[in-house]
Amino acid sequence: MHNAIQVHGLKKSYGSHIVLNGLDFQIKKGEIFALLGVNGAGKTTSLECIEGLRKYDSGAIIINGKMGIQLQSSSLPAHIKPMEAVRLFAKWNREKIDYTLLNALGMKEIEKKQYIQLSTGQKRRLHLALALINNPDIIFLDEPTAGLDVEGRLSLHKQIRKLKSIGKTIVLASHDMAEVETLCDRIAILNQGNIVFCGTASELTDKVGKKYFIHIKTQQENIAFETDNIEDTLISLLSDFKQKEIHVLDIKVDRGTLEQHFMEIARREAE
Ligand code: ATP
């Protein structure tokens, strides 16, 4: 069995509002998988259905492994101390506490504080520590780095990569495209109740089209061009610069960012 999660025909409505209109996708064992979509697309609803926290109307979800779920912020009592929460969760799950893991997540530095006194980043590290207490095979992270500074974000990315390296499957919902691009093996894009794309970031680039972005820095200015023919566009641009005696300092060619491709897919779907 290579799939950690299989979702077939998942449907969920809130009253007459159809949020999930028959989702079909698989998450492979050991991959970092991201669920993307604009606000209200149904990412949290999908995750909660998979996690077993929310009832769905129809469809089937097959889970192959033990799950660990990162709590949303302010889910713990205000005055509980991090190690009290850890002990509570360990007792609840009948698991031994892994102090090496807790130290790696920086729990030692915050052990004397109460939950209410923790920063956003410290809360998220505690939530991750609690999600890992039952030694899960599949870890769910809903917007894991929202509100974190660069250092906090990089440190959490390091932890997530470490979890992948020991064979865990990570499922996350995020709005941070740069994060998803660097961290995730595959992504699914949710739009108006459907999965409109599921695959790798480079497959998404191929789907969006053979578009290239040329960035040129001259002595006078920085200019960007969009093209589907690099050779012709570069030859014409460079000969034009040469004729006008404009000196080119730098040229970069790329195929656009995940964010640009995500926006393009959303635009096409809206049409
Ligand atoms: P965001 O990116 O803003 O977190 P999301 O993609 O996670 O959004 P959901 O939270 O799953 O989206 O919400 C999907 C839709 O379902 C939204 O229109 C939301 O208003 C609606 N919704 C979510 N929970 C409920 C609920 N308990 N009752 C009624 N409607 C709900």
Side-chain angles (χ1 to χ4, degrees), residues 110-121:
I110 57 171
E111 64 183 353
K112 294 205 167 70
K113 292 191 177 181
Q114 296 178 354
Y115 185 70
I116 199 172
Q117 297 168 324
L118 300 178
S119 72
T120 309

Side-chain angles (χ1 to χ4, degrees), residues 14 17 19 38-45 54 175:
Y14 294 108
H17 179 191
V19 176
V38 295
N39 284 130
K43 302 178 292 296
T44 301
T45 303
R54 191 168 287 283
H175 282 291

Side-chain angles (χ1 to χ4, degrees), residues 91-244:
K91 200 161 186 189
W92 202 345
N93 286 287
R94 296 188 184 145
E95 290 282 351
K96 283 206 183 107
I97 296 174
D98 179 347
Y99 287 97
T100 315
L101 177 71
L102 293 181
N103 285 340
L105 285 170
M107 288 300 105
K108 191 104 188 107
E109 302 150 30
I110 57 171
E111 64 183 353
K112 294 205 167 70
K113 292 191 177 181
Q114 296 178 354
Y115 185 70
I116 199 172
Q117 297 168 324
L118 300 178
S119 72
T120 309
Q122 291 167 338
K123 277 184 186 155
R124 283 204 210 272
R125 277 192 278 144
L126 171 60
H127 293 167
L128 184 57
L130 296 176
L132 297 177
I133 285 218
N134 65 340
N135 191 22
D137 307 299
I138 309 166
I139 300 145
F140 291 90
L141 310 171
D142 199 348
E143 306 253 3
T145 56
L148 297 197
D149 62 13
V150 178
E151 203 185 327
R153 196 170 289 230
L154 292 179
S155 138
L156 210 68
H157 287 176
K158 201 168 142 196
Q159 294 305 328
I160 293 173
R161 286 204 184 90
K162 216 184 252 176
L163 290 168
K164 176 187 157 81
S165 76
I166 55 169
K168 309 281 184 194
T169 305
I170 323 276
V171 185
L172 58 96
S174 177
H175 282 291
D176 184 337
M177 298 291 159
E179 165 171 295
V180 169
E181 201 162 15
T182 60
L183 208 56
C184 297
D185 299 302
R186 290 195 313 133
I187 52 184
I189 300 179
L190 253 179
N191 198 329
Q192 296 177 17
N194 297 299
I195 298 279
V196 293
F197 172 81
C198 188
T200 63
S202 100
E203 284 164 355
L204 179 63
T205 307
D206 292 339
K207 183 179 162 112
V208 167
K210 203 177 155 224
K211 226 180 228 176
Y212 297 92
F213 297 85
I214 300 175
H215 311 268
I216 300 183
K217 185 176 179 185
T218 70
Q219 270 172 333
Q220 282 94 13
E221 56 185 343
N222 292 326
I223 330 166
F225 298 88
E226 224 177 286
T227 179
D228 52 11
N229 186 330
I230 306 178
E231 294 90 343
D232 288 356
T233 312
L234 269 180
I235 289 169
S236 131
L237 283 170
L238 292 178
S239 62
D240 194 39
F241 287 140
K242 180 115 188 125
Q243 218 170 31
K244 292 179 184 157

Side-chain angles (χ1 to χ4, degrees), residues 2 13 20 33 64 79 82 156 186 235 252 268 270:
H2 298 297
S13 297
L20 308 178
F33 185 91
N64 183 26
H79 300 291
L156 210 68
R186 290 195 313 133
I235 289 169
K252 281 197 184 77
R268 284 185 196 173

